[in-house]
Amino acid sequence: MFRLLRFCMLLLPFLFAGSGDGQGQILQRFPEKDWEGNPFPQGIELFCQPSGWQLFSERNPPTFFVAVLTDINSERHYCACFTFWEAVESAQVRLGRVPVKGEWEEGQRVLGLGLSEGLGGPAQLFAPKSLVLVSRLDHTEVFRNSLGLIYTIYVDGLSASLENVIGNLLTCTIPITGGAQRTISLGAGDRQVIQTPINDSLPVSCCSVALLFRQLGITNVLCLFCAALTEHKILFLSNSYQRLTDACRALLALMFPLKYSFTYVPILPAHLLEVLSTPTPFIIGVNSIFQSETQELLDVIIADLDGGTVTIPECIHISLLPEPLLHQTREALSMVLDPELEIADLAFPPSTVSTSSLKMQDKEIRAVFLRLFAQLLQGYRWCLHIIRIHPEPVIRFHKAAFLGQRGLVEDDFLTKVLEGMAFAGFVTERGAPYRAIDLFDELVAWEVKRMRAEEGNKQKILRHIKELAEQLYKNENPYPAVTMHKVQKPAEGCHLRLHLRPFPRLDEGTVQWIIDQATAKLQTAPPAVKAEKKCMVPSGPPIAAIMERNGSAQANSARRLEVVRNCISYVFENKMLEAKKLLPAVLRAMKGRAARHCLTQELNLHVQQNRAVLDHQQFDFIVRMMNCCLQDCTAMDEHGIAAALLPLVTAFCRKLSPGITQFAYSCVQEHVVWTNTQFWEAMFYCDVQNHIRALYLESNEENHEEPREEKSALEIASEQRRLWPTMSREKQQELIQKEESTVFSQAIHYANRVSYLLLPLDTSKNRLLRSSGLGDVESVSNSFVTNSIAGSVAESYDTESGFEDAESSDVANYVVRFINRFVDKVCTESGVTHEHLKGLHTMIPDIVQMHIETLDAVHRESKRLPPIQKPKLLRPSLLVGEECVMEGLRVYLMPDGREEAAGGNIGGPQLLPAEGAIFLTTYRIVFKGTPMDALVGEQVVIRSFPIASLTKEKKINVQAQVDQFIQEGLQLRSCTFQLLRIAFDEEVASESAEVFRKHLHKLRYPQHVRGTFAFTVGQSPKQAMQPKAKEKNPSLRTLSKNLVKNAKKTIGRQYVTRKKYTPPSWERSSSPHFQEDNEDEISVSEELDRSTLTPSTTIKPSDKMTMSNVVERACCRDYQRMGLGTLSNSLTRSKNEPFRISTVNRMYAICRSYPGLLIVPQSIQDNTIQRISRCYRQNRFPVICWRNSRTKAVLLRSGGLHGKGVVGLFKSPNAPTAGQSQTDSTSLEQEKYLQAVINSMPHYVDASGRNTLSGFTSAHMSSAGKWGSIRASGRMSNYVLNMEIGSRLAGKDLLNAQHNGAPSEGSFLRQHRASLYIIGDKSQLKGVKSDPLQHWEVVPIEVFDVRQVKASFKKLMKACVPGCTAADPSLTYLRSLEESEWLSQIHKILQISVLVVELLDAGSSVLVSLEDGWDLTTQVVSLVQLLSDPYYRTMEGFRLLVEKEWLSFGHRFSHRGAQTLAGQSSGFAPIFLQFLDCVHQIHLQFPLEFEFTQYYLKFLGYHHVSNRFRTFLLDSDYERIELGLLYEEKGERKSQQVYKSIWDYIDRLNKKTPIFFNYVYAPEDGEVLRPYSNISNLKVWDYYTQETLSEGPSYDWELVQRQPDHVEEADRQDSSTPQTKRKIIWPCYDNRSRVEPDAISKLLEELQTLEMELHQVPERWKDLWDKVKASQRTDARQEATRMASSSLLMSSSMVPHRRSLGVYLQESSVGSTLNLSLDSNTSSTSAPSSGKQGGRKSTSNLYSQFQMSESENRSYEGSLYKKGAFMKPWKPRWFVLDKTKHQLRYYDNRMDTECKGVIDLAEVETITPGTPTMGAPKAVEEKAFFDLKTTKRVYNFCAQDVQLAQQWIDRIQSCLSDA
């Protein structure tokens, strides 16, 4: 039984004189002496009047409230205060002892203070008097009734004795908890029933919780709830003291089962308001009158109960419940508090909604929170560690494991709750395995499944809440139907009676006597024992089971786990190759938690007797897996990975030498988890629990590794606690001792373990272990384990973490301190005796020291270990004469942003990163190695490029492997579109890498061109010649001073003229434009003045150079081929030839960059040429380089004009000139020169009345022209041509193109055309007016300069070979490609070239005079010749074209290719590559017109920068002669295989293999190509994007040929497996043309093989091919004679693709031309057309079968003219006779797929010969006309000739007769 009350008191106000506030004074207290063990609470008077003791001017009604006091032992005392007012004597007031409180108190003087009696006496004042009960039980209603009864007796003067009542009250006892009830009477005719709750662990809340929700609302209360749980300060404000108490009680009730353990003061007195600034959390209530004083609190959450608001300061963040619990709780509360919400929107709401009573609602709300806690803490018992059972259970909670298993590691709220004091109390109180259980225990154990199942079903949830509420209600009110209380109450208004006597003083003796009587009675009564129903606390389902149902457990595919298991089994079975293949996949899988658990389980299986000895490679694999597994563990180790690995790292080991063993822990130390004390504690407790469990298990067979699952530790502990009281004292002592020694032994064990994982392998390095956290979670040991097992550990450790110069003992001290702290904590908590603990502390330094000594030996031995076997370095194949400069450095080749090799979006094997070596040879940089992905480990990866093509080298930092440090590396970029992104292996010292860079630089930029590979080939690398300084540029020596001055003068001016131009070209490294210009200008000026350049200074006489040598040059052969003149004595030269070959430059005196022999007009003298040359930049005066064999128009090339030249050329002859006479004469000579060119043309038209083209404006450019339809006929009507050319040349920007890249066309018709067009740079020709009297016209065009080409090329390289992976490669690639503007430049070059082709074809000559005449000029001139002359589209012709235009005419290959040190600053400009790209674009559009393949172009593109051949070295013929290169091959026999000329090499290769030959080559005579040039028609050259990693670039043919054999052998060796015909070809790995050759190559190969087998001399492939072609042609001819249609005659076995799309009728004797062009809207203005028009027999196309989009049957087809319907003209149409459909269809043209009309043959009546009508085609015989009469109308037709007409008639007739 419990005593209800402790004390009863009467208090009255008391004040010291002069003070402003009153103070309570205790008048009487009962009992007067303290109860035993219950001291009297001090300061109680403050709580009876919390706002202060004050006088009132009127009598207030009595008040009642309960304050809560907490004593020093955290016991709560409930203090019930009943206050009433009594009148005060005036004397007291006069003394000023008591302050007065009235409504006038606001700053006014207190009434009655200091009033004299003479004024009629003071007004009456009233002082408060309190009756106070103090109890440890909270029975508010009993207190209220009892105190009310005492007051009633006093105020109503009842007969009952107050002493008796108080005595009874003090001696009243209450039944022990358990649902008993007791009726009590205080002896005044009253009766009260006291009920105790069934279970006192559940809080009693009456209606307080419901009231709190009413006052504040759901959100606010939830906010306060979370704040209280996460330990924030909470302050309640209200005007009512009882409401403050209720609100605080409600908040505590909601927190059940957690108990609030901080400051809890529901009513805080005014005197103690400073308590609010305490730093600790609290729940406090304060009267609202002090609200102003709470404003300054910055970290307190204030809940105003009267206003219904909660104020949260800005600086406070409240962690709310995790979702979805927050949402579910809100919904449940809403259902309970506002049931009408659900039906508010219903059309027919139910008439009544049952709302629970306030008391019931209170319990329902608590039920919601009870459910919430059950969900929050479900499975908590599975994370309890029981570390002692006897004498008292010691239990710890494994917080990290709980959060990890619940998947709430990141959740702020739960983490804070688990770390809070309330939860610590919860674990202590509820963790005990054997105790009484309550509603919460049952709920969390058994109802969680139900709650999961009912989620989302509101009815079921509500039903569950109501069930729980019933239980809570029943707990508080076990007997709801009890008789009502009977307590007398005072009459209403009794407190206002005027003459109330003061409360009487009670007789202490009487009260004490009653107390003594009752005490004596109690002592004789038998003691009441509370029968506790203890039992084993249920644990409920494990968390894992709940979480899996929840679906939030991290899924990990079974396949991954299978891979992990397989890999581990391969390691232990010593199948290392297999394990290596799987290792990368295993390391990737380690990102998933399931895979990490799987790894620990699998490794566990391979440990026997706590030890597993491995060999070095196994050890390495296991350690790598462990490190990867640990690197994602946090310091908390919430998933228990580190915990599972801890026993394994001390189990796996390897023998280093006899007696010295290295354990895995020395290689996995660098993880943050090992430095976390909480981790070690949790591990320690877990192990202790396992040992304690083992201790109590009956069966001794149990061993530590595999505990039987039948009983958990908690179950055993529960059983032991049940038996404890029944045991003998000795038995108890024995168990206590056993447990204590178990804990002690574990402490020693853990001291060892901690030292294992904290002491570094090399303790001599002053390295404090991760004391300040780990910078990089990746383990240092990862890197050393993978390369030298343990050799480089010492070097790996840095000294940056604290112990710079300290001794090694500092590491030991740190570890000792760490272990001491750990041991102190765990041993104290688990009750280890003081002696044992002392012993441990002395033991720890010895343990550490011993371990350090062991480690020293291990470290010493590990350094002696041989490094792990790395892949053998594969040596690359070398060319003849190529030598290694540096032996291979071990490197990793990293992915460079190209998707394919890294197995990106397209899938495929991961070839990169690859492991191998980089080699530097005299010719190339070569990487050769194998992919690191073990799945493709057997493949060989080769990536190489010529050193000479290196454009950029930069240092980078790369992480080569998943588990390694970042290493230094290099990124090498080449203009052959290769990128070597390499990371050096750790074994490569940084010095070696530096030496590599220096060698590379030296080889890339030799001092002189003689240092390039083409010259040094075959010599040893050391012998690279260091040429003397004077040889570097001999011409510089010969400069006279005035020359230099001239050069300097012209620099400024020429810079202006050159600035705009530079042909599209690419660059490697940008260089300032000025510098490059200045170089150019100086070299320009060198050649200005003939007088200073005598033959002796320019050419060494010793060379004995004869003219015959010059004649043999390519250009001479070409001039003779074109009939431009022969070199004979000037006397015998035929004067009627318009041109002659001049030898004026034979000594390279006039222009050093021109060839020795030049074509000039016959009439121009050599001395004139010297003068003219000065007007042109670089002295490059106009020379003829090609003549159109049909129109005799010529193509000239020159450098741009100097300023004075431009003025001279275009000045009006009549205007007076102020210039010197010399200038005049030069200009005149210039004019004469151009006139001589014009005169040489047979179609020269007199200038009179000629209009110029430049007068056009863009306003005339409205209609679209027929770009593709101009045929090169001499008789073509002039107006058509002029319209065409005019439209192209006119306007502000020539390149303002329409549809397919053709320029706009003007509708302005021209009468005449100019005889000579000069294509010049727009910027140069500014302000130049054309002169109608001159016979030439200037076409200014905008061009781009070299800088733009370089910039564009850089961007193109970055687009094609990015260097680093982008987020969306496809988008990035296309965007970068567009930004590079490379295709725009190609488009411009092609457009200018096609324009020139048009002009030449129309009979006008063209002079291309752009920039210095060696970049864009060369590109345009070469392309024009290629398009106009089929000869240049053969292999021989293309060679000749390159030799003539590029080599002889001085394209600066060395300068543009930056081949020597001098050119380093200017960087690479890909002018020649751009030309090859243009040829590639034309080749794509006309694949049948070229004898060579695309590979030929790529081959030239690769080798013009490779420096393997001498062909493309140096800048001009002059320089080549000077070095003796030009004629050295003549006569000298090339016995060795070193080829100095690329052409010889190509010839030799071409004889061997058809690799350069185009099988579909089928040219048409005189074909002129006009390609589309619009960007949409251009394709990115695959030379830029493709690579073959299997063999490296395929342009060094000897190297490639050595590769394939061993591959096939490898395929054959495994004969047991079924052979398959399938071949897998990887896009970036295999050379597709070789692995899967085209049919013809394959057949030729097979033929050769068969011939070899038959021991015949193999026939050359070319001879064989020519035979086949010849036989094909004869077949074709026979076929053609059978089909006597001239329109279907075949010119060859295959006819060019994309030939003319127009239809041309043969010319009759009349000679008029019918130009049947395509419609302008179908083919836009640059539709490609081909060939001459005159006399061409064949326009058929063998590709027709592929190009037809419709699939109908064509019995016969051809072109006919058809007369339109009434009043419509004749038009050419393409007719198709279809026997199958029995119809005659017609189309606009041959290629048209849309049928324009159909004549049904069923309707045809007759076919008769016709007659020409008005508008019929002329020059066609009358018999070629015929009519077709149908039932509807008559159709008029006209064929090309009579024969064709007859054929058509016969065919139609046969169709009709067949039908």
Side-chain angles (χ1 to χ4, degrees), residues 188 772 939 1570:
S772 52
Q939 312 301 327
R1570 292 177 177 79

Side-chain angles (χ1 to χ4, degrees), residues 1463-1474:
Q1464 183 183 355
S1465 55
S1466 62
F1468 176 71
I1471 307 293
F1472 186 64
L1473 186 68
Q1474 206 167 32

Side-chain angles (χ1 to χ4, degrees), residues 744-756:
F744 178 64
S745 62
Q746 278 304 304
I748 298 172
H749 179 46
Y750 267 80
N752 276 296
R753 275 189 168 179
V754 176
S755 68
Y756 291 159

Side-chain angles (χ1 to χ4, degrees), residues 534-588:
K534 285 191 176 180
C535 65
M536 192 187 82
V537 183
S539 293
I543 300 179
I546 307 161
M547 294 317 290
E548 274 159 27
R549 279 199 301 282
N550 190 23
S552 66
Q554 188 175 357
N556 207 320
S557 71
R559 176 78 192 100
R560 280 189 187 162
L561 303 188
E562 190 59 31
V563 168
V564 174
R565 289 191 191 99
N566 289 348
C567 185
I568 292 169
S569 61
Y570 286 146
V571 169
F572 286 101
E573 289 163 17
N574 239 328
K575 295 181 178 171
M576 284 320 186
L577 195 64
E578 297 298 320
K580 192 178 177 187
K581 284 182 186 176
L582 292 184
L583 189 65
V586 171
L587 298 183
R588 281 196 292 273

Side-chain angles (χ1 to χ4, degrees), residues 1276-1287:
M1276 186 178 285
S1277 55
N1278 279 334
Y1279 84 83
V1280 175
L1281 178 78
N1282 270 325
M1283 179 174 84
E1284 292 292 332
I1285 299 165
S1287 65

Side-chain angles (χ1 to χ4, degrees), residues 418-460:
L418 297 186
E419 283 168 355
M421 294 269 288
F423 188 75
F426 171 86
V427 171
T428 309
E429 182 192 340
R430 291 184 175 265
Y434 185 69
R435 58 173 169 82
I437 60 171
D438 61 17
L439 183 58
F440 175 76
D441 291 312
E442 293 167 8
L443 191 62
V444 81
W446 311 126
E447 299 287 323
V448 172
K449 288 181 184 173
R450 173 179 171 178
M451 287 190 273
R452 282 255 172 248
E454 289 175 359
E455 260 177 35
N457 186 330
K458 289 188 177 179
Q459 274 66 42
K460 286 184 177 175

Side-chain angles (χ1 to χ4, degrees), residues 839-902:
L840 256 178
H841 280 313
T842 54
M843 213 184 289
I844 287 167
D846 298 341
I847 291 174
V848 171
Q849 202 47 50
M850 192 171 67
H851 188 55
I852 286 176
E853 285 165 19
T854 315
L855 280 178
D856 285 345
V858 171
H859 178 57
R860 202 169 46 250
E861 286 302 316
S862 66
K863 292 193 92 165
R864 293 186 189 144
L865 269 186
I868 281 190
Q869 202 57 44
K870 291 198 174 181
K872 206 172 107 193
L873 293 185
L874 305 168
R875 292 193 62 81
S877 316
L878 300 181
L879 291 171
V880 175
E882 181 184 9
E883 297 182 37
C884 254
V885 176
M886 259 189 100
E887 278 310 307
L889 297 179
R890 194 178 283 280
V891 294
Y892 299 96
L893 179 64
M894 307 307 294
D896 52 24
R898 285 181 282 189
E899 279 277 289
E900 297 88 350

